[in-house]
Amino acid sequence: MVYGSSGIGKTMIAKRMESLYPSNYRSDIGVTRTPILLLQAPPAPDERRFYQHILASIGAPMWGRHTISELEVRALSHLRGMDLKMIMIDEVHNLLAGSYREQRRFLNMLRFLSNDLCASLVVFGVNEAAEAVRGDEQLARRLDEHFLPLWDDDVEFSRLVQTLIAAMRLERGSGLSVQSLRTILGITGGVTSRVFTMIKALAIDAIETGEERITDEAVQSWQPIWAKHSWTVRNQPQPAF
């Protein structure tokens, strides 16, 4: 179970794993091998929709009205022939939209799929999802927990910012001060997606102004563009030196 704040990078990890082990069609035997299957949990713990999503994801949709048992049998029949090693389910916190009973049924289904297919199960969700998954004691015992913390004022954060700036391919080098790095951390709250958004916006501004580098002045004067959030991190106290 991989969990953390929204925007911290859970989906990015899942998609990266999927890209490392893509499906491979074996023309000699007419079978598609899929080491990793990445799925998104339905908006609520709905077994029918989940099985339909599985079938659609592997190119074997079932049209019309079918019972959950029929969808289950069809999905398992296809998955067994794909040499599946791992099932990754993103947005597992969606199960919190259902009742306690619905959550337990959905978790039981995930455990059943993992057992039947002899495939490792990996789930991704926000912090609250951890408590829901722990509600199924048998499933919780099988899942190692990996918490993704917010970025902190350390060397790793500095490396992240430098790597992102280098990826922008600006014509001039951007040597940011320690204070600028702390300002970026303060504005973004240490959330990965916001760090990406801020660096990208600063790079675009640098290109449009002809500066071709991200300066300390640009960082200090930059305003957050995520206006939908009620809080303003810039007004929060900065970390002590």
Side-chain angles (χ1 to χ4, degrees):
M1 175 167 57
V2 181
Y3 65 101
S5 301
S6 178
I8 199 63
K10 301 179 295 295
T11 300
M12 186 184 303
I13 293 174
K15 290 184 176 179
R16 174 59 174 166
M17 280 290 295
E18 182 185 37
S19 69
L20 291 175
Y21 302 95
S23 298
N24 178 36
Y25 177 69
R26 292 281 304 277
S27 58
D28 55 333
I29 56 177
V31 174
T32 299
R33 301 296 188 188
T34 304
I36 292 180
L37 181 63
L38 174 59
L39 303 165
Q40 181 170 311
D46 186 327
E47 297 167 79
R48 183 186 304 277
R49 291 188 63 174
F50 187 67
Y51 279 123
Q52 290 173 333
H53 182 42
I54 290 178
L55 290 167
S57 298
I58 61 178
M62 289 183 70
W63 308 113
R65 186 71 176 177
H66 299 277
T67 66
I68 294 178
S69 295
E70 290 172 336
L71 293 169
E72 175 190 295
V73 170
R74 180 71 181 275
L76 290 174
S77 176
H78 284 286
L79 293 176
R80 289 190 187 105
M82 294 170 57
D83 196 24
L84 196 62
K85 304 298 184 184
M86 180 182 292
I87 303 173
M88 297 193 300
I89 303 174
D90 197 12
E91 308 290 340
V92 75
H93 51 264
N94 287 346
L95 64 88
L96 296 173
S99 65
Y100 177 75
R101 181 178 179 182
E102 290 171 333
Q103 293 178 34
R104 291 299 300 268
R105 286 179 59 88
F106 195 82
L107 292 172
N108 285 339
M109 178 196 63
L110 296 183
R111 180 157 42 84
F112 167 74
L113 284 176
S114 178
N115 289 341
D116 190 89
L117 299 170
C118 296
S120 298
L121 178 65
V122 182
V123 298
F124 300 83
V126 298
N127 295 328
E128 293 79 4
E131 294 302 322
V133 172
R134 292 170 189 154
D136 187 309
E137 185 176 348
Q138 295 184 57
L139 182 61
R141 283 202 302 263
R142 301 182 185 187
L143 297 178
D144 294 329
E145 295 187 12
H146 296 274
F147 173 65
L148 300 180
L150 297 172
W151 290 93
D152 204 352
D153 182 14
D154 54 19
V155 175
E156 291 300 320
F157 180 71
S158 175
R159 289 174 180 169
L160 170 67
V161 173
Q162 293 171 12
T163 299
L164 292 177
I165 292 176
M168 298 296 105
R169 298 183 180 277
L170 298 172
E171 293 183 1
R172 302 173 63 190
S174 304
L176 297 180
S177 66
V178 172
Q179 181 57 45
S180 289
L181 292 174
R182 289 174 175 167
T183 298
I184 294 173
L185 181 64
I187 292 175
T188 62
V191 177
T192 306
S193 62
R194 290 183 179 177
V195 176
F196 276 59
T197 298
M198 182 175 179
I199 297 300
K200 182 178 179 180
L202 286 169
I204 292 174
D205 290 343
I207 293 172
E208 291 179 343
T209 60
E211 182 70 35
E212 285 295 338
R213 68 188 179 108
I214 298 175
T215 64
D216 291 327
E217 293 75 17
V219 171
Q220 298 301 324
S221 62
W222 191 82
Q223 296 295 320
I225 61 177
W226 36 84
K228 63 182 180 180
H229 297 282
S230 59
W231 49 267
T232 303
V233 186
R234 184 181 291 276
N235 294 330
Q236 294 180 353
Q238 296 295 313
F241 286 94

